[in-house]
Amino acid sequence: MNIFSKKGKVVLLGDFNSRTGDKLDYIKDDSLDINNFAQTNLLPDEYKIDNCFNRYSCDKVVNGQGVNLLDLSTSSSLRILNGRYIGDIMGNFTCMTSNGSSVVDYAIVSESLLSSVEYFKTHEFNYLSDHVKIEIFLKCMQREYNFDIFENSNWSSYKSF
């Protein structure tokens, strides 16, 4: 994640087989006050304080992969969108099997992208899969380029991903 974060903003979307419950993916009550301890700067100059709002989840279970995903999110300034945005404010289940229902499909973005999130949606279950379709809408600027090299090729342009 460190390598990709240096290249730009990160969006992770898919089935992580991780159950995170409604545990925090950020450092609660984070502050720079530790630098006042013994008049020593213990934090790096570029340290950013973690400020985020709580998320909800219908799934209250946390498994080992979930702990790892939460650790990755916290250490990499990534935020889970499930249960935080219009379209999935309750943290709906994303997987339904004979063993029960769970939240294992996530949309996770760089903290700096949170202001660009229009909404995150979990769709209804259907007979085609035991997972639901998840969808994220981001505000972004898009530039379209017209290169002659692509005119007579099999390349196509996508308006959504």
Side-chain angles (χ1 to χ4, degrees), residues 112-142:
S112 58
L113 274 177
L114 287 177
S115 61
S116 299
V117 176
E118 287 283 320
Y119 68 90
F120 166 73
K121 182 177 180 179
T122 53
H123 288 261
E124 298 293 322
F125 284 96
N126 64 48
Y127 67 93
L128 297 174
S129 175
D130 54 358
H131 294 265
V132 297
K133 176 181 171 186
I134 60 175
E135 194 171 26
I136 178 176
F137 283 79
L138 298 172
K139 293 181 282 185
C140 60
M141 293 181 58
Q142 179 180 345

Side-chain angles (χ1 to χ4, degrees), residues 81-92:
L81 299 184
N82 302 54
R84 265 197 181 117
Y85 280 89
I86 294 173
D88 186 47
I89 202 70
M90 297 306 297
N92 296 320

